[in-house]
Amino acid sequence: MRQPSPPLKRQYLLAVGVFALLLVASFALFADLLVDQFSRSYLEDVLLSGRAQAEELARQLGGNAPLYRVVETRKEALSRISATLARQDVIQTAQVFDERGRLVWSTTTRTEGLVGGFPDANAELVVGAPEGVVETGTTYEIRVPLQDVGTVVVAVSKAALAPRIALLRRRLLLHTAVAGGLALAVLAAAVAFIWHLVQRNAALEARKRMDEELAALGSLAANLAHEIRNPLNALSLNLELLEEELHEHRAEGGTVGLARREVGRLSRLVNDFLVYARPSPVHRERCEAFEVLREVAALLGPSCEKADVALTIDAQPVVLEADRGQIAQVLVNLALNALQAMEQSQARRLELRAYARGQRAVLEVVDSGPGIPSEQLGRVREAFFSLRKGGTGLGLAIADRIAQAHGGSLELENRPEGGLVARLVLPVATRSEAA
Ligand SMILES: Nc1ncnc2c1ncn2[C@@H]1O[C@H](COP(=O)(O)OP(=O)(O)OP(=O)(O)O)[C@@H](O)[C@H]1O
Ligand SMILES: [Mg+2]
């Protein structure tokens, strides 16, 4: 599997790095703006509420009566206002000044909060100071005029506001950091997924290229094999004739016979290769497994007899839907492998079996030979892989290809008691009526 090239990986990582950096920077900027905006609007809220308190105080003290008298008569209302102010611990004081700027009424901080009363101190207000909010060193003073008779001043403590704003700031920063972290996690997941897709795509492309190259090479080789086959056949025929002629003149034709056998082997190799490289189409038909096995046994009979192999058939009734010729060819190939493998064996038994396994028909060629070394089991069906002297290594490759073309598979399994089971698993016929 070809991996994406290193420059592509580097570019991809660079792009991801830049993107992550931009994301972090934009979150930091966003957090800064957000914190600033929220702190400002919190302060505005507090000041607005302070203004409302000051206006309420001014309303309570309104009228034409002298301010001292009013303060005296509205004591109760003023202490209610004091209590309300006491609950808002950001408000430091509320004060009432007369028209000459002398302090007439003021809340004072006690342990129980703010309480109102006549001040001892002679705090004075600069007459003519602007209305609205005035920022001093430790407070924001909200000034509301009291018609022409004085001014109400509510002071919001900066020191009390600071920890609240700091808390608000911390919370906002925490939330933004969590949102940023989540966004980064999503980005990381997306990046990993995209990288996976890129890799898969690269692997698929590499595979496609390799398939195309192999297909081109295969077709070239098949054409070559096809061209070789005819002269080989002619050569074989001529060698046969030459051998016969030599027999007439001399008693031996050894060298020619050897040449003819070698040409025959070459011819078989070319034919096998052509079967492998140019598989014929599958012509499916319904066939009884037993019939196929019987046909195979008939073909193998003479070879088995010659090799002193006991051949048996054990077939349960099962109907296949397969290319009968191709399946018989595969079984013969598997059986020939078995016969070749049993040449050195003491007991030589070959069994052809058939049975159903769910929706599959199973055809087995079981022998009593040495089996296949387990480390080679995974490789024996590769084309041109052979452990046999003179073997071309195409028998199992062709069998595997034909099984797959039928929508089935070829399984190879060593038996615990010795020998190999070559198992062809094929689809059963779906229609129930007889063929
Ligand atoms: N029944 C078996 N018992 C033991 N070894 C086997 C058996 N069948 C196959 N093998 C091993 O698997 C190898 C590959 O088999 P395959 O039929 O593909 O090629 P081959 O028999 O070597 O050559 P050919 O193309 O002539 O069939 C064989 O060389 C053999 O070593
Ligand atoms: Mg073989």
Side-chain angles (χ1 to χ4, degrees):
M1 184 170 102
R2 203 183 295 182
Q3 295 292 320
S5 58
L8 177 68
K9 193 171 182 177
R10 218 172 305 132
Q11 280 169 10
Y12 183 75
L13 285 178
L14 196 73
V16 170
V18 169
F19 195 66
L21 217 67
L22 284 177
L23 194 76
V24 169
S26 62
F27 260 97
L29 190 70
F30 174 71
D32 192 53
L33 287 176
L34 204 69
V35 164
D36 207 46
Q37 182 59 39
F38 270 86
S39 311
R40 209 184 294 258
S41 58
Y42 178 72
L43 180 63
E44 273 167 17
D45 276 358
V46 169
L47 293 180
L48 268 178
S49 138
R51 187 178 183 85
Q53 304 292 343
E55 280 169 356
E56 169 64 11
L57 204 55
R59 207 176 53 74
Q60 292 290 338
L61 300 173
N64 293 325
L67 197 52
Y68 287 95
R69 179 94 41 85
V70 178
V71 168
E72 193 61 44
T73 53
R74 299 277 167 82
K75 253 186 187 163
E76 233 174 83
L78 288 174
S79 56
R80 259 205 318 278
I81 290 172
S82 278
T84 314
L85 292 175
R87 281 198 291 277
Q88 299 179 12
D89 41 352
V90 289
I91 292 189
Q92 191 172 304
T93 52
Q95 295 172 318
V96 179
F97 295 89
D98 68 10
E99 76 281 11
R100 279 177 294 167
R102 278 182 314 205
L103 184 60
V104 178
W105 182 86
S106 171
T107 56
T108 48
T109 311
R110 300 240 182 98
T111 41
E112 64 273 20
L114 290 171
V115 287
F118 291 106
D120 313 325
N122 346 324
E124 281 198 5
L125 185 71
V126 180
V127 183
E131 285 176 28
V133 180
V134 177
E135 189 175 349
T136 71
T138 54
T139 58
Y140 294 100
E141 282 185 6
I142 304 154
R143 300 179 181 187
V144 173
L146 207 50
Q147 284 157 8
D148 292 334
V149 293
T151 312
V152 171
V153 177
V154 169
V156 173
S157 159
K158 278 185 181 173
L161 266 180
R164 285 163 180 243
I165 289 181
L167 181 70
L168 183 76
R169 211 171 249 277
R170 271 202 302 280
R171 277 194 192 150
L172 278 174
L173 282 176
L174 183 73
H175 289 173
T176 325
V178 168
L182 277 177
L184 273 179
V186 170
L187 175 73
V191 162
F193 182 63
I194 291 171
W195 184 244
H196 168 73
L197 288 184
V198 167
Q199 270 182 316
R200 213 177 61 169
N201 199 27
L204 283 178
E205 263 180 25
R207 176 85 185 264
K208 201 173 135 212
R209 262 200 308 277
M210 206 164 105
D211 283 353
E212 281 167 4
E213 280 166 17
L214 279 180
L217 209 65
S219 116
L220 194 75
N223 286 338
L224 201 65
H226 195 259
E227 291 307 310
I228 291 171
R229 184 167 61 172
N230 293 341
L232 266 185
N233 285 343
L235 195 61
S236 175
L237 207 68
N238 283 329
L239 282 172
E240 215 169 306
L241 290 174
L242 186 63
E243 201 178 17
E244 275 170 27
E245 271 179 35
L246 282 177
H247 265 298
E248 279 173 21
H249 296 104
R250 279 188 280 150
E252 34 140 307
T255 319
V256 179
L258 190 71
R260 191 174 57 81
R261 276 195 297 282
E262 282 305 301
V263 170
R265 204 173 72 79
L266 261 181
S267 188
R268 268 197 310 283
L269 168 63
V270 169
N271 281 331
D272 278 356
F273 176 72
L274 277 174
V275 171
Y276 178 71
R278 285 191 181 154
S280 19
V282 177
H283 298 295
R284 288 168 204 275
E285 56 178 318
R286 289 168 60 84
C287 39
E288 183 66 51
F290 176 67
E291 293 299 328
V292 182
L293 295 192
R294 209 168 53 174
E295 185 183 322
V296 171
L299 287 169
L300 290 169
S303 309
C304 287
E305 215 167 291
K306 207 166 132 197
D308 195 20
V309 171
L311 174 65
T312 51
I313 295 182
D314 175 7
Q316 289 173 9
V318 47
V319 182
L320 319 166
E321 196 152 86
D323 188 316
R324 186 172 175 150
Q326 289 188 5
I327 296 304
Q329 184 197 345
V330 168
L331 291 173
V332 168
N333 267 341
L334 296 176
L336 285 179
N337 276 352
L339 293 185
Q340 286 153 359
M342 286 191 293
E343 269 167 15
Q344 310 297 326
S345 304
Q346 290 289 330
R348 295 176 194 175
R349 281 189 308 275
L350 181 64
E351 192 171 9
L352 304 177
R353 293 181 190 157
Y355 57 91
R357 191 165 78 184
Q359 283 306 298
R360 307 251 116 183
V362 183
L363 302 176
E364 287 180 349
V365 176
V366 187
D367 66 57
S368 58
I372 299 178
S374 54
E375 64 277 11
Q376 308 289 9
L377 255 181
R379 294 204 60 199
V380 283
R381 54 186 96 201
E382 284 174 16
F384 303 111
F385 182 88
S386 174
L387 297 169
R388 187 168 62 80
K389 192 166 175 290
T392 58
L394 281 169
L396 290 179
I398 292 173
D400 199 39
R401 188 165 269 197
I402 291 178
Q404 284 184 23
H406 278 77
S409 60
L410 173 69
E411 298 169 4
L412 300 171
E413 200 177 291
N414 284 316
R415 303 161 72 206
E417 62 270 43
L420 186 88
V421 185
R423 187 177 298 127
L424 204 54
V425 183
L426 298 168
V428 289
T430 42
R431 283 167 291 132
S432 56
E433 72 268 20

